[in-house]
Amino acid sequence: MTEKLATHITLTRNLAAPAANTSAAAGLLKILIAAQAAGVGVQWSEVDAAAPKSKQPYWVTLCDMQTRLYDANAVVRYLYRVGNLALGDRLAVEQALEWEEKTLSVMSAEDLGAILAAGESQISVLSTHAPATAVSAVFFGALYYALSNAKAPLLGKYPALQQWYAQQLANAAVEAALPAFTANVVKVLVREEPSLENRRVNTDIAFEFDPSKTVLPEAGAKNVLITSALPYVNNVPHLGNVIGSTLSADVFARYSRARGHNTLYICGTDEYGTATETKALEDGVTCQELCDKYHRLHKEV
């Protein structure tokens, strides 16, 4: 029995616009591409406040106003009339969509490399389907976030997939669908994995800092002054003194210098208090002599 295709579909938004890196956003793009390719209009609507609550971000209602489709791939199957294909062609489409549903659509959106590698592994399948097909629409929707956000070095590892992506972008249905998609999703900023290159770290900066060097403010430069808690000087310094004051400040000072900032880190010793006076009496020295002694020890550490 031949399916009769609707002249339009109604896309009802139930929740807030999905983030661009979610499966809901991928599904939305699949639907919009399929509708453009099939020449079916898309009418947008908001959920009726009196309607029963649903956790679905959106759904599609056919023009009979009774049939609802909640799964994006089901909408794609309907719009491309997959059910009307010859048995062999339909089987090929179903196998590709099943792989996407079980593998690609459940991968973490943050792992761009893994997604691109998975897409590249199916390039032989994708190359057998023209841009205006159900398989292309589904795979493009699932891969779009990774392909549009991956940096050139990462994309360069998957040349066949990159070429397929360029072909899809040139397709009229994709071109027409992308503006509506962008307007109905929330953009997500992609944070790169930290590296010496993208953190602008100067690797030529010496790890050891010359304490005899005079650091003065420089006009037009980023001048950084770092201080830390002052350790008491009434005893031999221990690990707690280092961790509680100087270590964290020293690490940040080294990092700041490596970033190329004009950095001055200053510290000292805490030379007052009852504990210092008591220790001086115990050792039979003046408070100043005690402070000088332990200041030297702290400085050496």
Side-chain angles (χ1 to χ4, degrees):
M1 180 178 179
T2 302
E3 290 181 89
K4 183 179 179 181
L5 191 62
T7 56
H8 72 273
I9 57 174
T10 301
L11 206 159
T12 303
R13 288 174 289 214
N14 181 43
L15 305 174
N21 62 343
T22 61
S23 59
L28 182 62
L29 183 54
K30 296 173 186 179
I31 293 170
L32 293 174
I33 293 173
Q36 287 290 339
V40 173
V42 177
Q43 298 178 354
W44 295 83
S45 71
E46 303 296 331
V47 67
D48 186 350
K53 301 299 180 183
S54 172
K55 294 182 179 180
Q56 298 292 333
Y58 51 78
W59 55 78
V60 166
T61 306
L62 304 187
C63 59
D64 62 7
M65 300 308 292
Q66 294 180 349
T67 305
R68 285 185 179 181
L69 300 176
Y70 292 90
D71 179 73
N73 283 9
V75 179
V76 171
R77 286 180 171 93
Y78 168 75
L79 291 174
Y80 278 103
R81 290 176 283 189
V82 171
N84 291 351
L85 297 175
L87 183 59
D89 294 335
R90 182 175 182 180
L91 180 60
V93 170
E94 290 295 346
Q95 285 178 329
L97 298 191
E98 183 179 7
W99 183 89
E100 186 273 339
E101 292 163 352
K102 290 184 175 180
T103 305
L104 200 56
S105 65
V106 296
M107 298 179 73
S108 170
E110 302 306 316
D111 196 347
L112 302 185
I115 293 174
L116 296 178
E120 181 92 353
S121 72
Q122 297 297 301
I123 201 66
S124 60
V125 175
L126 295 177
S127 61
T128 63
H129 296 271
T133 62
V135 172
S136 296
V138 166
F139 273 76
F140 186 86
L143 292 167
Y144 178 70
Y145 177 78
L147 286 165
S148 60
N149 285 282
K151 301 299 182 183
L154 179 58
L155 276 176
K157 297 179 181 179
Y158 310 102
L161 186 63
Q162 198 172 2
Q163 183 179 7
W164 175 84
Y165 178 54
Q167 293 170 349
Q168 299 301 311
L169 288 175
N171 178 256
V174 173
E175 284 186 303
L178 282 175
F181 169 75
T182 303
N184 286 279
V185 297
V186 177
K187 184 177 180 180
V188 178
L189 297 179
V190 179
R191 181 179 176 85
E192 296 182 84
E193 287 296 320
S195 67
L196 292 178
E197 290 75 21
N198 63 31
R199 291 297 179 265
R200 299 189 300 277
V201 174
N202 185 355
T203 55
D204 295 328
I205 296 293
F207 187 72
E208 296 293 338
F209 176 71
D210 183 3
S212 65
K213 178 184 176 183
T214 300
V215 181
L216 298 174
E218 297 177 358
K222 183 170 183 178
N223 299 293
V224 180
L225 173 63
I226 302 170
T227 64
S228 63
L230 306 180
Y232 284 114
V233 287
N234 57 354
N235 214 325
V236 176
H238 52 79
L239 189 60
N241 297 127
V242 177
I243 295 175
S245 58
T246 55
L247 179 62
S248 55
D250 181 66
V251 169
F252 182 69
R254 292 170 190 264
Y255 167 77
S256 186
R257 294 187 191 106
R259 289 294 299 271
H261 304 323
N262 183 41
T263 304
L264 174 62
Y265 167 40
I266 57 175
C267 191
T269 47
D270 194 337
E271 301 182 355
Y272 80 102
T274 304
T276 299
E277 182 180 7
T278 302
K279 182 64 174 176
L281 291 172
E282 181 183 315
D283 289 0
V285 295
T286 66
C287 289
Q288 186 63 62
E289 290 172 333
L290 180 80
C291 290
D292 291 345
K293 170 187 174 182
Y294 285 111
H295 178 86
R296 286 192 299 272
L297 288 172
H298 278 266
K299 190 172 182 179
E300 290 173 3
V301 172

